[in-house]
């Protein structure tokens, strides 16, 4: 008789939404996990800040460690599962300690990877360990696995998507309920959708973290979150959403990463996308990632980007890969072979949407057209809406142009004497 297979022993730091989701899957599907990997997957020890907190799972069979670093280095832990969050302090210290102690690491922590991905990947690979992080990008959607495995034979042209469910919830709720941003933001807070620091969501930072990780895999470059152009959704009004819809578009907080002749472009900004496109039709808190490869063409991945079940599902996918013996470099190729990214100084040209509040007097439109023309911006479509007192909203869709040219035009608009307030300029992304 052959010896029973050695269990894969997990140490889980963080028993919040995701951590408890992982505990539940390990407990609920013990037999299934063993059948699929050929060895039991067990939990040895857990850690969180408050031992007395009532948690929605029976943890009595596991050792408790008050210090996640101690948990990460225990002899009876094979895989350190980091589900605490934060890119400095304990999460980083415990991850480094685990790798130095010869443990593999599974994490859902996009901030940690966006800020320290290169350092951690080099440490892990130098020590012969793996770091897996499927849950860090788009929650339950297996996008890391798609890029590093299923699409590994493709030169990736572009990766884009909606990667923050909270922002997509806010934008689609504004549209369907006809409510202003501030009201829906407050609603999202009440529903518990917002991060403790809401600017991580609505400022585009959380989604920017995710995009920088995808860009590293897609283009073989070191993670460079600092080079992601970030704009949040706070400038989007219900009027923008309505006017965009009138013209056949939806507004999304859209991430786009592409390698161009000018360098690596990484943007996480509010954009207009065609209403009929898969991205345009994405409702509520759902995420969508679109990947374009030279052989596969375009593929669209859609699913829950957050929540206990979907995120724990992604963590468990990583754990099971380790149990099966799958060992890949962190970003799909050895960390030492990743190139230093050259950030594109200007993004690829695109049409832009401009919303202006125009003083309603003769010659006003001509002055606007002239200011745009002087900046080299050509108008494709223009629409004026009804008056509000002495001003009227005017919408302009430009021909393809650069963000720089748009900025030059916007800077010139106050000098025309016919524009009231700050114009809104949003890129229209071809998807
Ligand atoms: P959470 O509900 O706030 O839980 C965090 C857990 O970590 C808590 O159990 C907390 O302990 C523990 N913790 C925090 N700091 C600690 C420390 N210094 N020492 C020990 N334990 C500590 O967070 P979450 O939503 O589960 O998120 C966990 C990770 O998954 C984050 O990196 C997050 O970005 C990522 N993620 C989350 C989701 C989602 O849908 N929630 C989706 C994708 C990725 P106490 O319980 O005692 O306070
Ligand atoms: N705050 C994130 C979101 C959670 O809204 O998508 C998942 O990363």
């Amino acid at each position: 008789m052959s010896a029973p297979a050695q269990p894969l022993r997990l140490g889980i730091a963080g028993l919040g939404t995701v951590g408890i989701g992982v505990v539940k899957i390990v407990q609920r599907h013990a037999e299934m996990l063993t059948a699929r990997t050929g060895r039991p997957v067990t939990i040895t020890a857990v850690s969180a800040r408050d031992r007395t907190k009532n948690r929605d799972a029976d943890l009595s069979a596991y050792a408790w460690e008050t210090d996640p670093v101690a948990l990460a280095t225990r002899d009876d832990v094979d895989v350190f599962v980091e589900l605490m969050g934060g890119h400095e302090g304990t999460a980083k210290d415990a991850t480094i300690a685990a790798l130095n102690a010869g443990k593999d690491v599974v994490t859902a922590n996009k901030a940690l990877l966006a800020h320290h991905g290169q350092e951690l990947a080099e440490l892990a690979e130098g020590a012969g360990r793996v770091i897996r992080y499927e849950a860090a990008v788009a929650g339950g959607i297996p996008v890391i696995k798609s890029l590093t495995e299923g699409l590994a034979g493709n030169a990736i042209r572009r990766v884009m998507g909606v990667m923050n469910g909270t922002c997509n919830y806010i934008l689609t709720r504004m549209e369907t309920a006809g409510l202003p941003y501030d009201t829906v933001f407050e609603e999202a807070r009440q529903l518990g959708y917002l991060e403790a620091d809401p600017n991580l969501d609505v400022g585009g930072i959380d989604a920017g973290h995710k995009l920088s990780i995808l860009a590293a895999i897609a283009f073989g470059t070191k993670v460079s979150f600092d080079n992601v152009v970030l704009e949040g959704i706070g400038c989007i009004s219900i009027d923008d959403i309505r006017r965009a819809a009138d013209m056949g578009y939806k507004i999304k907080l859209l991430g786009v990463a592409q390698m161009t002749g000018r360098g690596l472009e990484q943007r996480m900004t509010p954009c207009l996308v065609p209403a009929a496109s898969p991205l345009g039709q994405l409702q509520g808190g759902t995420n969508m990632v679109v990947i374009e490869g030279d052989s596969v063409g375009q593929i669209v991945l859609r699913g829950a980007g957050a929540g206990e079940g979907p995120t724990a599902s992604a963590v468990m996918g990583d754990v099971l890969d380790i149990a099966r013996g799958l060992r890949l470099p962190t970003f799909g190729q050895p960390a030492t072979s990743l190139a230093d990214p050259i950030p594109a100084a200007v993004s690829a040209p695109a049409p832009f949407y401009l919303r202006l509040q125009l003083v309603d007097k003769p010659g006003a439109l001509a002055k606007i057209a002239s200011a745009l023309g002087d900046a080299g911006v050509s108008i494709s479509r223009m629409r004026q809406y009804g008056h509000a007192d002495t001003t009227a909203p005017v919408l302009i869709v430009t021909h393809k142009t650069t963000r720089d040219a748009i900025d030059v035009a916007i800077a010139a608009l106050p000098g025309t004497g016919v524009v009231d307030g700050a114009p809104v300029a949003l890129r229209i992304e071809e998807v």
Side-chain angles (χ1 to χ4, degrees):
M1 223 172 78
S2 59
Q6 289 295 311
L8 184 77
R9 300 164 303 175
L10 311 181
I12 303 178
L15 297 169
T17 306
V18 186
I20 289 298
V22 170
V23 169
K24 285 181 188 169
I25 295 179
V26 171
Q27 293 179 348
R28 188 168 69 236
H29 291 313
E31 274 184 37
M32 183 187 84
L33 302 181
T34 307
R36 289 186 175 166
T37 63
R39 59 194 292 201
V41 175
T42 62
I43 298 169
T44 311
V46 294
S47 178
R49 280 177 298 217
D50 179 359
R51 191 171 184 175
T52 65
K53 198 186 265 186
N54 192 19
R55 304 183 196 267
D56 184 25
D58 179 4
L59 305 173
S60 57
Y62 316 135
W64 181 276
E65 289 281 3
T66 44
D67 178 6
V69 174
L71 173 86
T73 53
R74 281 174 70 109
D75 288 342
D76 56 2
V77 164
D78 302 310
V79 180
F80 175 59
V81 184
E82 187 283 300
L83 301 172
M84 295 176 285
H87 63 83
E88 300 299 342
T90 310
K92 185 183 176 202
D93 295 347
T95 299
I96 290 173
L99 294 170
N100 281 329
K103 319 293 182 187
D104 293 325
V105 171
V106 174
T107 180
N109 192 335
K110 54 260 177 178
L112 181 69
L113 286 157
H115 288 276
H116 304 295
Q118 183 65 22
E119 170 193 345
L120 294 175
E122 285 184 19
L123 176 60
E125 290 164 34
R129 309 321 308 171
V130 295
I131 306 177
R132 304 290 306 237
Y133 52 89
E134 185 64 74
V137 181
I141 303 176
V143 60
I144 305 297
K145 208 170 176 58
S146 298
L147 275 172
T148 53
E149 295 180 51
L151 301 174
N154 285 262
I156 301 300
R157 293 187 172 133
R158 185 168 63 155
V159 180
M160 62 186 161
V162 169
M163 301 173 207
N164 183 278
T166 304
C167 287
N168 204 52
Y169 168 81
I170 290 175
L171 292 171
T172 52
R173 174 91 177 130
M174 283 169 74
E175 180 181 16
T176 52
L179 292 169
Y181 175 84
D182 289 344
T183 307
V184 179
F185 177 91
E186 200 41 48
E187 203 177 87
R189 188 200 294 282
Q190 301 285 335
L191 288 166
Y193 290 176
L194 287 161
E195 301 272 349
D197 172 4
N199 196 43
L200 288 175
D201 287 315
V202 297
I205 299 163
D206 165 81
H209 287 153
K210 297 168 182 168
L211 184 74
S212 69
I213 294 169
L214 294 185
I217 305 170
F219 304 112
T221 48
K222 293 175 183 164
V223 186
S224 58
F225 170 66
D226 289 347
N227 294 325
V228 180
V229 175
L230 290 177
E231 275 174 39
I233 61 167
C235 64
I236 306 297
S237 70
I238 182 71
D239 279 348
D240 290 316
I241 290 176
R242 288 189 181 128
R243 308 298 185 221
D246 275 359
M247 301 178 102
Y249 296 106
K250 302 277 180 178
I251 299 179
K252 299 288 170 194
L253 179 65
L254 188 72
V256 179
Q258 58 191 347
M259 189 60 83
T260 71
R262 298 170 303 278
L264 176 63
E265 215 178 301
Q266 302 180 90
R267 287 181 267 116
M268 183 57 69
T269 58
C271 287
L272 273 66
V273 297
S277 64
L279 281 163
Q281 292 184 357
L282 192 69
Q283 291 289 315
T286 312
N287 283 197
M288 182 174 283
V289 182
V290 179
I291 304 171
E292 294 168 356
D294 62 345
S295 297
V296 75
Q298 188 182 76
I299 68 164
V300 177
L301 302 168
R302 176 185 182 281
E308 179 184 303
T311 314
S313 158
V315 171
M316 287 309 297
D318 285 343
V319 167
L320 264 59
D321 272 351
I322 292 173
R324 288 166 165 147
L326 181 69
R327 306 188 73 75
L328 296 175
T330 315
F331 295 105
Q333 66 184 64
T336 49
S337 74
L338 293 164
D340 286 311
I342 299 166
V346 287
S347 44
F352 276 77
Y353 156 104
L354 284 176
R355 178 169 61 81
L356 318 166
Q357 200 67 24
L358 209 61
V359 177
D360 200 9
K361 62 181 183 190
L365 276 175
K367 287 188 177 166
I368 297 304
S370 164
L372 292 178
D374 289 347
V377 176
S378 162
I379 295 171
S380 166
R381 286 192 276 165
M382 187 185 260
R383 197 175 282 183
Q384 178 169 343
Y385 288 82
H387 298 209
D389 301 326
T390 55
T391 64
V394 167
L395 278 196
I396 294 171
V397 172
T398 71
H399 286 293
K400 273 191 183 181
T401 184
T402 62
R403 179 74 218 197
D404 281 356
I406 290 288
D407 288 343
V408 169
I410 287 178
L413 289 176
T416 62
V418 295
V419 176
D420 191 36
V424 173
L426 301 172
R427 186 182 167 95
I428 302 178
E429 194 70 33
E430 289 172 352
V431 297

